[in-house]
Amino acid sequence: MTALPHAGGPTLTAGHDLHDARVACLMVHGRGGSAADLLTLADDLNLSAFAYVAPQADGHTWYPHSFLAPVAQNQPYLEGALARLETALTELAEAGIPAERVAVLGFSQGACLASEFVARRGGRFGALVLFSGGLITLDHTRTLSGTPVFIGNSDRDAHIPLARHEQTVEVLTRQGAQVDARIYPGMPHTIIRDELDAARNLLRDMTFGSL
């Protein structure tokens, strides 16, 4: 049996020791990025209670085409990417950190993958944080049971159409998430301070809730 793409890549960690932490942040890098780059956000978030876990995609890309392309065009890479996140979540649970104490955070392609993963899986997560991204598919029916979500996008991002941002907010809200959605006029394809502050507030609330 041939292994799915991304099954054998490394997973980098930072922050609190995984086996001694009550909360964790699963970080998903974007196309052309790296787990190491995204882990630097741990310094910006400055939340010492968190164990940060970041899997690395094969070839630095989770799937080859736009997230808006037909799903079949991105297979088997998309299937492998979703499986990789499920494996990471399982490993966190085995370390004593269940999904309701895990924040899933992604940037760009990683945000698209993170939202798709959480929406497909359903259930209560600690938080979902999306920097410049949106759902890959829109036909989700599982409840997210009040999962707090932050999603920030530009009004003129060449990669993330504004309509997809709005559709993503609609679907996640319908699934029962508590969504903080923000549009930033003229923002380039990047992460800005206001987004980091919003993410930090969500994660900090998780910390208090886990006590």
Side-chain angles (χ1 to χ4, degrees), residues 2-200:
T2 303
L4 287 169
H6 313 301
T11 297
L12 305 187
T13 60
H16 206 91
D17 182 82
L18 178 61
H19 297 283
D20 192 32
R22 291 187 54 79
V23 286
C25 183
L26 174 57
M27 309 179 92
V28 191
H29 69 78
R31 184 193 301 272
S34 71
D37 288 344
L38 199 59
L39 275 178
T40 63
L41 290 182
D43 293 334
D44 294 293
L45 293 169
N46 192 29
L47 293 166
S48 59
F50 274 78
Y52 297 92
V53 177
Q56 176 68 51
D58 293 349
H60 299 269
T61 298
W62 293 107
Y63 43 85
H65 301 291
S66 165
F67 77 114
L68 298 173
V71 168
Q73 292 184 13
N74 278 318
Q75 299 294 21
Y77 304 95
L78 177 58
E79 182 183 357
L82 292 167
R84 181 68 186 280
L85 296 191
E86 184 65 39
T87 296
L89 199 65
T90 298
E91 291 172 350
L92 288 172
E94 291 173 350
I97 309 174
E100 57 265 29
R101 285 194 262 125
V102 175
V104 184
L105 177 154
F107 169 63
S108 189
Q109 188 184 67
C112 299
L113 179 61
S115 62
E116 185 72 15
F117 172 69
V118 169
R120 286 193 187 198
R121 195 177 190 282
R124 182 61 155 83
F125 283 78
L128 173 63
V129 177
L130 308 174
F131 299 132
S132 296
L135 284 167
I136 297 171
T137 61
L138 301 174
D139 56 345
H140 304 289
T141 58
R142 294 187 173 178
T143 179
L144 292 174
S145 303
T147 295
V149 175
F150 171 80
I151 175 170
N153 276 303
S154 172
D155 64 341
R156 59 189 67 179
D157 192 316
H159 304 284
I160 314 295
L162 183 57
R164 197 56 154 201
H165 168 91
E166 294 168 344
Q167 291 167 325
T168 299
V169 172
E170 179 182 347
V171 171
L172 294 176
T173 300
R174 188 174 68 233
Q175 288 186 267
Q178 299 298 314
V179 183
D180 176 1
R182 303 184 192 184
I183 293 294
Y184 298 96
M187 183 180 75
H189 195 71
T190 188
I191 303 171
I192 62 172
R193 185 71 253 173
D194 187 75
E195 293 181 293
L196 287 170
D197 289 344
R200 186 174 188 278

